[in-house]
Amino acid sequence: MVKSKKPVQPKTEKVRREMKLVTSQVCEVCKTPCADGIDYRERMRVPGASGKGIPCILTKPSA
């Protein structure tokens, strides 16, 4: 049996457009704070809070 090959997609369609996860320290020094970042900073200021970061809209690659 001959296996059929999958059609090759152009490289531009293979690139995943994702935002980077940033921690509260990065949000603290951000020059253009967003509402999500401000909320996340406030949650992380509470003693004992733990978090893995939030997606930053400013790190989203352009189309």
Side-chain angles (χ1 to χ4, degrees):
M1 291 182 77
V2 177
K3 291 185 180 180
S4 62
K5 292 185 177 181
K6 293 182 182 179
V8 178
Q9 294 178 345
K11 189 172 184 177
T12 57
E13 292 181 15
K14 290 182 183 179
V15 176
R16 295 186 67 184
R17 309 260 184 231
E18 294 183 359
M19 296 179 275
K20 294 180 183 176
L21 288 177
V22 295
T23 59
S24 59
Q25 289 88 13
V26 175
C27 285
E28 291 287 343
V29 296
C30 182
K31 295 179 182 176
T32 54
C34 61
D36 291 336
I38 293 170
D39 292 339
Y40 182 67
R41 287 189 312 202
E42 295 299 322
R43 288 193 311 251
M44 292 300 110
R45 287 182 182 153
V46 176
S50 64
K52 296 183 180 182
I54 58 168
C56 180
I57 191 70
L58 301 174
T59 61
K60 183 178 179 182
S62 60

